[in-house]
Amino acid sequence: MSRRATARSLPGAVFGYALTLTLLVCLNFVALHALPGDPLTVLLGDATLVFPDEALRARLADLHGLDGSLGERFLRYVGRLARGDLGWSLSHAAPVRDLVIQMLPWTLALVACASVLAFVLGLGGGVEAALRHGSRENPWILATLAFLDSIPPFVKAILILFVFGLWLEVVPTAGALAPFSDTTGLARALELAHHAVAPVATLAVHETSKLLLFARGTTLALLSRPFLTVAVAKGVGPWRLRRAYLAPNALAAVVARTAALMSGMMAGAVFVETVFAYPGIGRLAVEAIAVRDLPLAQGLFLVLGAVILTLNLVADLIVLRLDARG
Amino acid sequence: MRPLLSCFTLSARLVVGVFMSLLAGASVGVADDAPTRGTRFVIADEVGDWGIPSPYLHDRRGPGFILTSLVFDTLIWKDATGAFVPSLAETWTVDDTGATFTLHPKARWHDGVPVTADDVVFTVGMFREFPLASLDLSRIQSVRALDDHTVRFEMTQPFAPFLATIAGVMPIVGRHLHGAVETPMTLGLPQAAIGSGPFRLEHYDRVQGATLFRANHAYHRGRPTVEEIAFVRMTPPVAVAGVRKGTVDLATSVPVRDAESLAAAGVRLLVHDTGHPVRLKYNTRHPVLADGRVRRAFAHFIDRKRVIETVYLGWAVPWDPRGLAPLADPARDPYPFDPGAGQRLLEQAGWSRTPDGPWIRENEAVRLDLLAPRAQESLARLIGQQLGAQGLGVAVRLLDRGAFDEALRQGAYDLALTSHGLLGDPDVFRQGVLGTRPDSDRYTANPDLVAALEAQVTQTDPARRQALLARAGELYARDLPSYVLVSPRRAAVAPEPFFFTPGGVGPGVPSVLNKLAFLP
């Protein structure tokens, strides 16, 4: 029955996904073109030694696919997308697809690792914090969480950089690998992991406090439910209470909350990437908007939007499945 | 329990999957042999990735050009005094109709093919067909090879900036490489980065923001003094820590707060003016600001000394409102901070003011918008406050760069804070006044000023050209379409024999990275 319920919901979820993706393609084009600013300024803006007359502007627009009406450009954009071509970055002089392929995995890895860490710590910590509700340490737990939650991500990143990177020198301070590293296999994996410690920890700490507070609230609500009162009265042990009663029942809500935090984590990744000189699309996206590199901004936001939509679809399906299991 | 486990498993698979894709790496190795580490010169830079060092592929901002100049030679280059010295060209002569260059007979492309005059002819043709916005070739009438090593440029008319804006900045490319593709923008590595410069591109890693150059032992001006240059992305605190530990040889920019302690520790600092002064641009088409007396009055209301102390913590210099250089003599400042002089000018313009009230023009209190890019927020707020203290209603509006440029282009502003480089050839003055860039003044109201600026372009006698520029500067400071305020200073860590090139490297890039410092 539960599998059938999930199966029934699947076509609707997939249809909604496809519809949202189509809207994203259109909005992505329209919204970015609605921004004030001329993409050709990217090419001409930093040139100090030229008078860009109309002929030169027209030639550059033609070379970079910026000519024609908005409608013509939209049709070209959709046509290119259909061929898997995301366009040509004006500021980076490179295919947008190459830039996305090179940069996106780093941001995804950063956000995924931090999400998993925050999910585990948030769920586990939230259950423990809820069980200490009314205890002497409860105010301290809440105060600590509120304090951690109030520190902006870039401040956390700078603190971690200075304390663990520059002062204690226990984590690398820049990049995802040592410059021009030629390590392979396991050594490369370890080097990657070592360089990821500080950025992942920064992002995870920021999200953990949010998830922990959320999981604590969810667990407190559960604790007042009759089935838990009965379980406690029947003498269910503390470990079994956590493992078999509290965590599984709080899981669906925490999974949904983690998925909802993903877009915020993408924004937090911008600061983390900047402070730790870590590769990723965060900085790329901010610069693309600032200099009106529309092909790059369109490509980045489209792919990023599709990734977030996909993750939300997956989370929805997981929640459906978990709810169906009760 | 199973849902919990499956959720963790899914997450773990996601993480492992993404990491596996990263393990494959995304950087581009160019040369066959692996880099050695013994004689590596490490340069720390906050951005790191300035694109592939190739004429069409590098980032359009200054450092992209600098890195490209390591791989691609121009005909001539600037030395530590700012004078032109041989590069690809061994000798040259300039006359009223053009210039003739004789190439160094031993110049070779990195693939061993000799550099010829035909490559220069091809380069000019390529940049004409596929223009770069930073290179104006419109005054070249023709270019032809006189023999294998001699090339002649004919100009449509005498063109004083020729050496500085074409011969000294146009990277020469090989016909056999760039001519082999339909559009040079699509030429990939390694061909796109085969030049004739003192370094070969060894490794370009866009992801890590790192570029590795290896010495070209066959370079026609001698073997470079370092074997490798590693240009690496680092945040300023990390770069400073690297300098202190000796793992970084050169940092392109260090924070002001660290400069003094680094100097005290015996680190060699090169402090230089960026040559990018910030200017208060008036919308001279605005009825209120069309009157030159009003523009001059506003200039008297601005306390530049306080601006430098407050916004730049002392790391800026006042700029001469006449145009091209820092203010050498404060006594010659045409607009010292003098609110009384400003008030008199406004009264002459028919404005009136009650004590402590706002300025009134045509029975209305004057209210103006001051536009600024977000990066200039502190300066904009201080200027707004200083003008406000003199009875002018000024609202500060901060925009991102795209929106800011568009507002300038459309003239949708009253006052604006703009900035562009004034290093390089003095013709940048003309660009700034008459040019069509968003931040140009586009000021043609004074025919004498226009005539002086146009005349200096064709005046090949240096003394006469300088006189024309001085005349234009006086007219500009009197009309004041923009009030050039201050130019920030920058500190870089650089060992001997690095230097700051007067007038900037190439087209006027304010950097201590001049490739001559790597040559014997």
Side-chain angles (χ1 to χ4, degrees), chain B residues 7-237:
Chain B
C7 195
F8 284 149
T9 309
L10 184 68
S11 305
R13 280 180 184 166
L14 177 67
V15 173
V16 170
V18 174
F19 253 115
M20 289 305 288
S21 72
L22 298 180
L23 281 175
S27 58
V28 182
V30 177
D32 293 328
D33 43 348
T36 58
R37 294 168 191 279
T39 52
R40 184 173 290 179
F41 187 89
V42 177
I43 301 172
D45 182 80
E46 193 170 359
V47 175
D49 174 28
W50 293 102
I52 294 171
S54 177
Y56 284 100
L57 304 180
H58 70 74
D59 191 294
R60 291 293 147 234
R61 289 167 285 182
F65 173 85
I66 297 280
L67 295 184
T68 301
S69 76
L70 296 173
V71 179
F72 287 86
D73 268 355
T74 50
L75 289 168
I76 54 177
W77 195 245
K78 277 192 216 164
D79 68 5
T81 66
F84 287 109
V85 293
S87 186
L88 257 183
E90 184 68 0
T91 60
W92 66 93
T93 56
V94 180
D95 52 58
D96 274 355
T97 60
T100 304
F101 295 85
T102 303
L103 304 184
H104 195 291
K106 290 185 179 174
R108 297 278 185 281
W109 299 106
H110 296 159
D111 58 6
V113 175
V115 179
T116 65
D118 182 56
D119 288 318
V120 181
V121 174
F122 168 76
T123 299
V124 173
M126 182 189 74
F127 284 130
R128 276 185 160 156
E129 190 177 358
F130 303 98
L132 286 180
S134 54
L135 202 56
D136 184 359
L137 303 177
S138 60
R139 292 182 193 245
I140 297 177
Q141 188 174 60
S142 67
V143 55
R144 59 198 164 92
L146 302 182
D147 58 43
D148 274 0
H149 290 96
T150 311
V151 61
R152 171 73 186 171
F153 288 77
E154 295 288 347
M155 312 304 290
T156 53
Q157 57 184 316
F159 185 48
F162 175 74
L163 294 182
T165 63
I166 296 176
V169 301
M170 182 175 66
I172 305 301
V173 301
R175 181 190 285 275
H176 68 294
L177 297 160
H178 278 73
V181 288
E182 195 176 336
T183 59
M185 292 88 143
T186 57
L187 186 64
L189 288 175
Q191 287 86 353
I194 294 178
S196 60
F199 289 89
R200 291 183 291 122
L201 176 64
E202 178 81 13
H203 195 91
Y204 168 70
D205 189 341
R206 188 192 301 279
V207 172
Q208 300 296 328
T211 311
L212 187 67
F213 301 89
R214 176 165 282 191
N216 172 15
H217 294 174
Y219 187 56
H220 56 276
R221 304 215 164 273
R223 183 176 174 151
T225 54
V226 299
E227 186 57 28
E228 289 180 348
I229 300 173
F231 194 85
V232 182
R233 174 164 59 209
M234 282 184 210
T235 54

Side-chain angles (χ1 to χ4, degrees), chain B residues 313-385:
Chain B
L313 305 176
W315 281 69
V317 291
W319 202 263
D320 192 330
R322 298 171 189 86
L324 282 168
L327 185 64
D329 179 7
R332 288 200 66 227
D333 184 355
Y335 300 106
F337 176 55
D338 185 351
Q343 286 172 21
R344 288 191 292 278
L345 281 166
L346 287 185
E347 283 161 1
Q348 287 170 21
W351 293 31
S352 61
R353 185 189 183 193
T354 55
D356 297 326
W359 281 101
I360 305 293
R361 177 185 176 272
E362 294 179 357
N363 300 321
E364 279 189 18
V366 175
R367 293 204 60 80
L368 299 167
D369 275 350
L370 170 59
L371 252 63
R374 291 191 194 283
Q376 300 283 10
E377 178 174 1
S378 304
L379 179 60
R381 299 221 179 273
L382 183 58
I383 296 293
Q385 185 262 328

